[in-house]
Amino acid sequence: MLTDRPGCLVCRKEGHSSMKKQLGKLFQSKGDMDEKHIYERPCISSCLQDTSHRGGVKEDLMITMCLLHICLVMLFSIEISSLDCTILHFQQNKMNTESLELLSKMGGQFPLQCLNENRNFRLPQKALRPRESQEKDAKMVIQEIFQQIFNIFSENLTQAAWDRSSVETLQNGLHWQTEKLETCLRSEMENETPYLGNKKLLFPMLKLKKYFQRIRDFLKEKQYSLCAWETIRLEMGRCLLFVDQLIKKA
């Protein structure tokens, strides 16, 4: 028996608490699946609410129908998420190219008066470059780099003679990619056997964090001067070129 809303299934009152218990187990098994979001879908909400005032239908059958309906919704959501992660690789290629263009656009040519400020921050490329079989490692490194670059460009930019609109666009792109990578990595780790690559990545990631700490220390030492920011802009360009290599392995 159907409710007034198309595609929504009902369960009888007596089965409401039983169904909620089964849903609880289902959500626990799916880890970070957003239970509140699923319950708030119009059809799911209707199904749960109607159990409190409808009757005349066999409990077990209607509970099964409600659970089936919710499972299909969850499966569809998972498939969409999987598709998003599949095309993320192509989106990153495009967005990384755009980020490099924005870095160039927002500051123009490197000021000649800042040449003396140029410094080698020692990006640990060799340690961070994963083997062919370690695609997940590459994604983790890319995510960390994007997050760190986002943090760097969230520092004191008062003396940086940059186009603010380009800076904001760059930050928005970095934030979007960071969030997407985090979601995809979490999904991969939940759906696969325990991943042991993380332990091998600890030392390289520590080197990466120290690299960005050297950059922050440099900015503080130079009191966030125009030349200091121009030096960092140049360095972040080198960093994104390295990311371009990692994307091909991710």
Side-chain angles (χ1 to χ4, degrees), residues 88 92 96 128 130 135-152 171 173-189 198 201 205 208-209 212 239-240 242-244 246-247 250:
L88 179 61
Q92 280 186 311
N96 200 55
L128 293 169
E135 295 178 1
K136 196 175 297 182
D137 285 358
K139 289 179 183 176
M140 289 180 178
V141 171
I142 293 170
Q143 183 200 11
E144 180 66 22
I145 289 175
F146 284 156
Q147 183 63 61
Q148 291 283 355
I149 295 178
F150 176 86
N151 293 342
I152 290 292
Q171 288 177 311
L174 290 168
H175 178 71
W176 182 87
Q177 291 182 86
T178 301
E179 293 291 309
K180 278 289 183 181
L181 279 165
E182 183 179 355
T183 300
C184 292
L185 283 167
R186 189 187 305 123
S187 176
E188 287 179 11
M189 289 177 182
N198 289 353
L201 199 57
M205 290 294 268
L208 181 62
K209 290 179 185 295
F212 280 103
C239 201
L240 288 177
F242 175 61
V243 168
D244 196 52
L246 293 176
I247 289 174

Side-chain angles (χ1 to χ4, degrees), residues 58-74:
K58 288 186 178 180
E59 176 184 348
D60 290 344
L61 174 61
M62 297 317 297
I63 289 176
T64 301
M65 292 174 70
C66 251
L67 285 172
L68 177 60
H69 185 82
I70 294 172
C71 284
L72 288 173
V73 171
M74 293 172 67

Side-chain angles (χ1 to χ4, degrees), residues 28 58 82 86 90 94 170 177 194 246-247:
Q28 287 176 7
K58 288 186 178 180
S82 176
T86 301
F90 302 102
K94 181 174 180 290
L170 175 65
Q177 291 182 86
L246 293 176
I247 289 174

Side-chain angles (χ1 to χ4, degrees), residues 21-31 67 70-71 74:
K21 288 179 182 178
Q22 293 186 51
L23 285 175
K25 293 179 181 179
L26 182 62
F27 287 123
Q28 287 176 7
S29 69
K30 298 310 293 182
L67 285 172
I70 294 172
C71 284
M74 293 172 67

Side-chain angles (χ1 to χ4, degrees), residues 34-216:
D34 192 340
E35 178 178 348
K36 183 175 182 294
H37 176 68
I38 294 294
Y39 278 141
E40 287 178 350
R41 290 175 181 266
C43 285
I44 306 304
S45 178
S46 170
C47 182
L48 293 174
Q49 290 171 5
D50 286 345
T51 59
S52 63
H53 58 76
R54 298 234 180 182
V57 185
K58 288 186 178 180
E59 176 184 348
D60 290 344
L61 174 61
M62 297 317 297
I63 289 176
T64 301
M65 292 174 70
C66 251
L67 285 172
L68 177 60
H69 185 82
I70 294 172
C71 284
L72 288 173
V73 171
M74 293 172 67
L75 180 61
F76 183 65
S77 299
I78 293 169
E79 288 298 325
I80 291 176
S81 176
S82 176
L83 178 61
D84 286 345
C85 292
T86 301
I87 65 175
L88 179 61
H89 174 82
F90 302 102
Q91 291 173 323
Q92 280 186 311
N93 270 320
K94 181 174 180 290
M95 293 190 74
N96 200 55
T97 299
E98 291 175 353
S99 295
L100 283 164
E101 291 174 354
L102 283 167
L103 274 176
S104 176
K105 176 184 175 183
M106 69 190 199
Q109 292 186 342
F110 188 84
L112 294 178
Q113 70 268 26
C114 299
L115 288 175
N116 291 334
E117 297 287 358
N118 206 3
R119 183 176 301 193
N120 181 12
F121 295 98
R122 304 190 305 279
L123 174 64
Q125 295 188 34
K126 187 175 180 181
L128 293 169
R129 191 172 285 112
R131 299 175 183 174
E132 294 296 329
S133 60
Q134 295 174 320
E135 295 178 1
K136 196 175 297 182
D137 285 358
K139 289 179 183 176
M140 289 180 178
V141 171
I142 293 170
Q143 183 200 11
E144 180 66 22
I145 289 175
F146 284 156
Q147 183 63 61
Q148 291 283 355
I149 295 178
F150 176 86
N151 293 342
I152 290 292
F153 285 120
S154 299
E155 298 275 353
N156 184 357
L157 296 172
T158 306
Q159 298 185 61
W162 295 341
D163 175 62
R164 299 295 171 175
S165 176
S166 296
V167 175
E168 290 176 5
T169 303
L170 175 65
Q171 288 177 311
N172 290 337
L174 290 168
H175 178 71
W176 182 87
Q177 291 182 86
T178 301
E179 293 291 309
K180 278 289 183 181
L181 279 165
E182 183 179 355
T183 300
C184 292
L185 283 167
R186 189 187 305 123
S187 176
E188 287 179 11
M189 289 177 182
E190 287 173 355
N191 296 328
E192 295 179 4
T193 54
Y195 181 60
L196 301 178
N198 289 353
K199 293 182 179 179
K200 295 180 180 179
L201 199 57
L202 286 175
F203 184 63
M205 290 294 268
L206 180 60
K207 281 191 169 186
L208 181 62
K209 290 179 185 295
K210 287 183 177 180
Y211 161 75
F212 280 103
Q213 187 58 53
R214 287 193 290 272
I215 290 173
R216 280 188 284 271

